[in-house]
């Protein structure tokens, strides 16, 4: 434990209380996806106003989150306020390639207006600013929230003091053109723009006003209708950039963004396919700024790029790489990018992406392992203090033995929970290695895949049995069963998974699959005789059932009876009819289970797929836990204490909510719902009747 503690970042020497920036840097070293900590670090650094430090922290943040426009705008404003126009211009050029928003383009226009003053630059400066407004409205003017940008554009035109009749005519034509463009779009200030437009036309020429207003009114009415439709679809959508993206994605927000995307794809404005693609792309760019940590949203965005003819394969890969900056451990995004690299036959990038993914997973594992180490140290420290308090004055404190220490940790629910989570993380890392191994086998060679197998085995801390099983199946397909058997046997050696019930079960299934009768019987008999007490009961049960089914299909009934006797010696509370039914089901674990393939359940017990799936006491998997419950309900011989324990197990196994004793006893006496094939009460007719009442 000491080695973990020493190497873990949290165990470095503590910062001074006044070193806030240093403390924030330490937090980011543990988790560089913590946006609130990043923003606080930026704020603290800006307060010190050391320009190089500010630039450095902004650059680090925007390298990690290049799609967050609010921080780009803040960075540009910081440079502009200090008169660093060249730097601001460079930053604008970079950020507009990776992201977009109304605020960012308003920032761009403001920068152009500040750099090219009409007072000193005259008509040339005005022309540049007009061009900036045109560019901005072309880029983000279709956003329903861009009404303020259009209003600013019109206001800038109004500020133009025309020096001649020709200039005045140019000004009026430009203003009319901008009005007509804006009134074609469903904007949040559409009605105000329409009101301003009608006033503009009437003030300009009452005679021609009717003609121009009539020509534009159709577009306005259509845009107003579309804005109402859009507003209803996106009701409750959070588009504010004042709050940073949340790590946990709000499903309702994801649904609203998805609805907006679908609405754009419907092309209600009858645009060209290229314009529609641009509009959809824009919505996705806004969505990822709010739901930055949603792999599902990013994956949909990537799929849109893939399906569209307007985005190249390189753009798809660039988008995936951007998504991985915020979601480095997303398997959907990583595997998608790896597939694309594999299609390009780019072995180096495939290996690099797998290595990066595993490195991030290892980092998370080490952080969790450090947390567990700290927790254990804290618990031991408390136990030592408690023990000291019970000692006599002249009595010497003896250190805890290894057995006592283990017992202390077993009593701690927090330690047990974190240990389970740590094991799950180790499984994830090993399973990632499994996919890595298979990919290398496809694009390189079996020998190279064996190298990945060895690499995974060397990481003992995160090693689980899955890599052995997957490698064995790969070897069986490539070279035959002899090498596969050696791999399975290697996994059974001391120091690996000799007592891992799941691994032995997989080995047993493999032996049966390759028709190795001798080895399958040897493994089974060895397990149930010498390892029975060491293996988790659920896997021992699975082995028994698997082998009984195997004997029924390929052996002798006498052997089945002997096995059945041993089974009930080990599990006396199991429901006998359900255990008996298992070996006469035509379904296998590889199939989608259907109760119709089980004649005992479907015919004798009148069970259906729906009844098996719905029952609180009758779960669809017919697992051994559920068989136990049925047997307890039938016999009703358990003590109240054991009944409570059994209900606790039920909550753990199938997620059922707690049921009181009264309800529980009532349910025991009610007949099985599967006995009733037709509804006794037609609820749909009742609803129809009530709906027709006046």
């Amino acid at each position: 434990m000491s080695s973990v503690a020493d190497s873990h970042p949290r165990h470095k020497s503590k910062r001074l209380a006044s070193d806030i920036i240093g403390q924030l840097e330490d937090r980011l070293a543990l988790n560089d996806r913590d946006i609130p900590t990043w923003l606080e670090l930026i704020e603290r650094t800006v307060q010190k106003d050391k320009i190089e430090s500010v630039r450095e922290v902004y650059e680090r943040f925007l390298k990690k989150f290049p799609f967050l426009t609010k921080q780009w705008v803040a960075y540009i404003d910081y440079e502009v306020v200090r008169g660093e126009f060249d730097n601001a211009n460079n930053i604008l050029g970079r950020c507009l390639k990776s992201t977009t928003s109304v605020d960012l383009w308003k920032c761009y226009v403001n920068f152009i207006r500040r750099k090219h003053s009409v007072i000193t630059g005259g008509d040339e400066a005005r022309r540049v600013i007009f061009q900036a407004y045109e560019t901005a409205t072309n880029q983000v003017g279709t956003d329903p929230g861009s009404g303020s940008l259009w209003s600013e554009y019109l206001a800038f035109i109004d500020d133009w003091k025309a020096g001649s009749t020709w200039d005045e005519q140019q000004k009026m034509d430009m203003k009319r053109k901008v009005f007509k463009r804006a009134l074609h779009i469903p904007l949040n200030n559409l009605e105000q723009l329409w009101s301003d437009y009608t006033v503009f036309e009437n003030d300009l020429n009452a005679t021609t006003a009717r003609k121009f207003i009539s020509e534009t009114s159709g577009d306005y009415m259509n845009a107003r209708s579309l804005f109402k439709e859009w507003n209803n679809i996106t009701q409750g959508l959070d588009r504010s950039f004042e709050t940073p993206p949340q790590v946990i994605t709000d499903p309702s927000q994801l649904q609203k963004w998805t609805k907006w995307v679908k609405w754009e794809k419907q092309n209600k404005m009858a645009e060209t396919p290229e314009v529609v693609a641009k509009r959809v792309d824009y919505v996705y760019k806004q969505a990822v700024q709010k739901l930055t940590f949603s792999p599902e949203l990013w994956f949909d965005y990537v799929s849109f790029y893939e399906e569209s003819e307007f985005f190249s394969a390189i753009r798809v890969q660039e988008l995936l790489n951007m998504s991985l900056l915020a979601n480095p451990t997303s398997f959907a995004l990583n595997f998608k990018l790896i597939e694309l690299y594999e299609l390009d036959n780019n072995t180096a990038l495939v290996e690099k992406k797998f290595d990066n993914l595993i490195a991030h997973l290892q980092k998370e594992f080490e952080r969790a392992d450090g947390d567990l180490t700290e927790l254990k140290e804290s618990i031991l420290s408390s136990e030592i203090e408690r023990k000291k308090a019970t000692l006599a004055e002249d009595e010497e404190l003896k250190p805890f033995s290894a057995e006592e220490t283990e017992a202390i940790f077993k009593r701690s629910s927090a330690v047990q929970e974190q240990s389970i989570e740590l094991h799950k993380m180790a499984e994830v890392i090993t399973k990632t290695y499994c996919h890595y191994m298979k990919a290398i086998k496809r694009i390189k060679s079996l020998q190279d895949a064996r190298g990945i197998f060895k690499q995974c085995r060397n990481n003992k801390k995160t090693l689980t049995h899955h890599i052995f099983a997957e490698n064995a199946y790969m070897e069986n397909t490539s070279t035959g069963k002899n090498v596969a058997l050696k791999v399975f046997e290697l996994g059974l050696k001391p120091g690996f998974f000799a007592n891992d019930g799941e691994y032995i079960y997989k080995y047993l299934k493999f032996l049966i699959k390759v028709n190795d009768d001798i080895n399958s019987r040897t493994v089974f008999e060895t397990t149930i005789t010498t390892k029975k007490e060491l293996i988790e009961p659920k896997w021992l049960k699975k082995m028994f059932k698997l082998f009984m089914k195997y004997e029924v299909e390929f052996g002798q009934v006498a052997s089945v009876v002997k096995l059945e006797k041993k089974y009930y010696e080990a599990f006396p509370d199991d429901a006998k009819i359900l255990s008996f039914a298992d070996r006469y089901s035509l379904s296998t674990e590889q199939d989608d289970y259907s109760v119709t393939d089980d004649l005992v359940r479907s015919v004798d017990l009148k069970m259906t797929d729906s009844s098996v799936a719905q029952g609180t006491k009758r779960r669809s998997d017919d697992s051994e836990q559920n068989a136990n419950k049925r047997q307890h309900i039938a016999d009703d011989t358990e003590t109240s204490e054991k009944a409570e324990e059994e209900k606790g197990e039920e909550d753990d196994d199938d997620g059922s909510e707690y049921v009181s004793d009264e309800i529980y006893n009532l349910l025991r006496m009610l007949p099985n719902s599967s006995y009733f094939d037709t509804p006794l009460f037609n609820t749909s007719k009742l609803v129809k009747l009530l709906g027709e009442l006046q």
Side-chain angles (χ1 to χ4, degrees), residues 564-616:
E564 189 177 53
K565 183 178 180 181
K566 291 181 181 179
Y567 178 82
Y568 286 119
E569 286 175 359
F571 307 105
D573 295 326
D574 268 23
K576 290 182 172 52
I577 191 168
L578 296 180
S579 297
F580 181 80
D582 287 334
R583 58 183 186 255
Y584 285 100
S585 171
L586 297 179
S587 294
T588 67
E589 285 196 312
Q590 288 74 33
D591 298 329
D592 292 329
Y593 176 81
S594 172
V595 76
T596 57
D597 290 329
D598 186 330
L599 297 178
V600 176
R601 283 182 173 84
S602 62
V603 179
D604 291 354
L605 301 182
K606 310 296 183 187
M607 289 185 178
T608 62
D609 287 326
S610 58
S611 68
V612 170
Q614 292 173 1
T616 303

Side-chain angles (χ1 to χ4, degrees), residues 177-314:
K177 179 182 176 183
V178 173
F179 264 126
K180 288 194 172 186
R181 284 178 60 205
L183 292 170
H184 173 73
I185 303 166
L187 299 171
N188 55 356
N189 64 344
L190 192 64
E191 293 187 5
Q192 182 61 50
L193 288 173
W194 175 253
S195 176
D196 293 344
Y197 174 63
T198 56
V199 171
F200 161 73
E201 290 290 4
N202 282 301
D203 288 349
L204 192 63
N205 189 321
T207 304
T208 60
R210 184 187 300 272
K211 170 181 175 294
F212 285 120
I213 291 173
S214 175
E215 288 176 353
T216 311
S217 63
D219 287 340
Y220 160 68
M221 294 300 292
N222 183 55
R224 188 175 71 166
S225 174
L226 289 174
F227 178 77
K228 288 181 180 179
E229 186 178 332
W230 173 86
N231 200 41
N232 289 333
I233 287 172
T234 59
Q235 186 106 31
L237 181 67
D238 179 15
R239 295 197 65 193
S240 169
F241 296 128
E242 296 305 314
T243 55
Q246 301 300 305
V247 175
I248 305 300
T249 300
D250 181 350
S252 65
Q253 288 297 308
L254 177 59
Q255 185 180 37
K256 293 179 192 303
W257 283 109
T258 304
K259 283 183 178 180
W260 186 0
V261 167
K262 290 180 178 178
W263 187 79
E264 292 289 357
K265 288 180 178 179
Q266 290 172 8
N267 193 14
K268 297 292 183 74
M269 296 175 66
E271 303 283 9
T272 64
E274 186 174 1
V275 172
V276 173
K278 181 181 174 182
R279 289 174 66 95
V280 174
D281 184 40
Y282 177 80
V283 177
Y284 273 121
K285 278 185 166 68
Q286 306 312 297
V288 297
Q289 294 184 62
K290 291 302 297 181
L291 305 182
T292 302
F293 303 109
S294 170
E296 183 179 352
L297 176 65
W298 282 104
F299 195 87
D300 287 345
Y301 191 4
V302 170
S303 298
F304 162 68
Y305 266 29
E306 280 193 305
E307 294 165 3
S308 174
E309 63 180 297
F310 303 105
F311 303 97
S312 66
I314 297 298

